């Protein structure tokens, strides 16, 4: 180099060190994640883990639980179809006595109906809850069993005379349960759980983003398909036991990364197994603790907002990293004096320091733009 060579070399070296300072690269990702998660919280979406924000942007399949997620989770008794030889009074009171011990929303619906009708309840004994099947207890010396058709099969009960009634209830989108008294089919109970007003719009928004929407439920296939047609769900996996939800997610994983949305105790294993578990905030504590993302309200539209924040944040991170690396790649050679032989241009250390500071300011300013992400769908509270 020209004289004084040592001075010119020191100036170039200081400029290179200033330009090469990795502040912008170090700030590019954490600032975007911090601002993105903060904005998500404002929108009612809590990312419990930073990596969930990144993982959600790569999801291609959204699996939904039915009760309490797609539907309101507050079912009501709509039908009580009796077998020959039984009256409503013979069935409703004893069934409500058994279901009063259960915390399932359907059980609570039967208990509420019995109270409205003034059906008397009795003391019970030998209560047994069989997860995924139903309940059984002794009421007034008679063994009462209530549950799905697989419960009746397990108990050896012949329900042939009530099968048509059960199938018709399923076609209407109602959850149907059989009642057996001392091993004999006594009635079939129909319970309706209305679809949340927000579900159809939220599912349509997810599909518009190119996501494959699946509903996983323990209900009958006919019931599940009716709900799916009403809400626009792409695929139904029905008649699944609680532990079967994890198996269903393993099969769906062949289609890509999965986000599972649920709210109940039996959803906890699936929330933990999914690439991203999303818990409805109005659900159980166990479900919330197992999830990576929590929706503060019970509104399914929060899932759409979670995807929006995730995608916008990841795009912001790419912008920041692109600027930071591009800035260093372009200016380090200039600071080293690559233009000096031809143009006599040598970057001043002061300008290099200023450029380095401006690069960090750019990254921070770009990340702060995430504060103004608008909700794709406003949640109801």
């Amino acid at each position: 180099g020209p004289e004084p060579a040592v001075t010119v070399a020191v100036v170039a070296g200081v400029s290179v060190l200033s330009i090469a300072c990795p502040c912008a690269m170090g700030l590019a990702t954490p600032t975007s994640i911090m601002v993105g998660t903060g904005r998500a919280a404002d929108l009612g979406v809590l990312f419990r883990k930073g990596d969930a924000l990144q993982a959600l942007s790569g999801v291609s399949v959204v699996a939904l639980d039915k009760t309490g997620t797609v539907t309101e989770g507050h079912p009501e008794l709509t039908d009580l179809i009796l077998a020959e030889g039984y009256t409503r009074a013979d069935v409703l009171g004893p069934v409500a006595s058994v279901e009063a011990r259960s915390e399932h929303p359907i059980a609570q619906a039967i208990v509420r109906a019995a109270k409205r009708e003034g059906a008397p309840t009795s003391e019970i004994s030998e209560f047994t809850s069989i997860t995924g099947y139903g309940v059984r207890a002794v009421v007034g010396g008679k063994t009462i069993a209530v549950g799905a058709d697989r419960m009746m099969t397990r108990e050896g009960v012949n329900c042939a005379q009530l099968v048509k009634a059960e199938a018709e209830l399923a076609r209407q989108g109602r959850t149907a349960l059989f009642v057996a008294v001392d091993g004999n089919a006594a009635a079939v109970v129909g319970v309706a759980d209305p679809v949340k007003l927000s579900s159809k719009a939220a599912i349509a928004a997810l599909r518009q983003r190119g996501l494959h929407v699946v509903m996983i439920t323990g209900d009958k296939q006919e019931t599940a398909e009716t709900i799916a047609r009403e809400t626009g769900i792409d695929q139904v996996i029905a008649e699944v036991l609680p532990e079967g939800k994890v198996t269903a997610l393993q099969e769906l994983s062949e289609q890509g990364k999965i986000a599972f949305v649920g709210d109940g105790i039996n959803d906890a294993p699936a929330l933990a197994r999914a690439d991203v578990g999303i818990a409805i905030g109005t659900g159980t504590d166990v479900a919330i603790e197992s999830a990576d993302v929590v929706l503060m309200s019970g509104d399914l539209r929060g899932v759409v907002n979670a995807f929006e924040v995730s995608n916008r944040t990841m795009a912001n991170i790419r912008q920041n990293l692109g600027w930071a690396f591009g800035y260093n790649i372009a200016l380090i050679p200039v600071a080293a004096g690559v233009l000096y032989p031809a143009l006599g241009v040598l970057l001043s250390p002061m300008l290099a320091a200023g450029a380095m500071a401006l690069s960090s300011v750019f990254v921070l300013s770009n990340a702060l733009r995430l504060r103004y992400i608008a909700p794709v769908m406003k949640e109801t509270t």
Side-chain angles (χ1 to χ4, degrees), residues 37 65 110 115 121 138 147 179 184 188 246 251 277 298 307 319 360:
T37 53
D65 173 49
I110 295 172
K115 288 181 178 178
T121 56
V138 175
V179 178
N184 298 311
V188 62
V246 173
E251 295 173 355
F307 274 97
Q319 292 166 5
S360 297

Side-chain angles (χ1 to χ4, degrees), residues 217-261:
T217 178
D219 278 1
K220 293 279 289 186
Q221 187 74 30
E222 294 87 346
T223 303
E225 288 178 351
T226 299
I227 299 296
R229 284 193 296 271
E230 182 179 346
T231 56
I233 289 171
D234 297 306
Q235 181 182 349
V236 169
I237 302 176
E239 301 181 43
V240 177
L241 295 174
E243 60 270 20
K245 290 185 178 181
V246 173
T247 304
L249 290 181
Q250 290 173 344
E251 295 173 355
L252 288 171
S253 64
E254 298 176 0
Q255 302 180 32
K257 287 188 176 181
I258 302 171
F260 179 79
V261 188

Side-chain angles (χ1 to χ4, degrees), residues 66-67 71 104 106 148-150 166 170 173-177 191 193 215-225 227 236-241:
K66 183 181 80 72
T67 305
T71 62
H104 196 283
I106 292 177
D149 52 359
R150 52 180 173 265
E166 186 252 5
R174 294 170 184 169
T175 300
L177 300 176
V191 176
D193 188 6
M215 183 171 70
I216 304 176
T217 178
D219 278 1
K220 293 279 289 186
Q221 187 74 30
E222 294 87 346
T223 303
E225 288 178 351
I227 299 296
V236 169
I237 302 176
E239 301 181 43
V240 177
L241 295 174

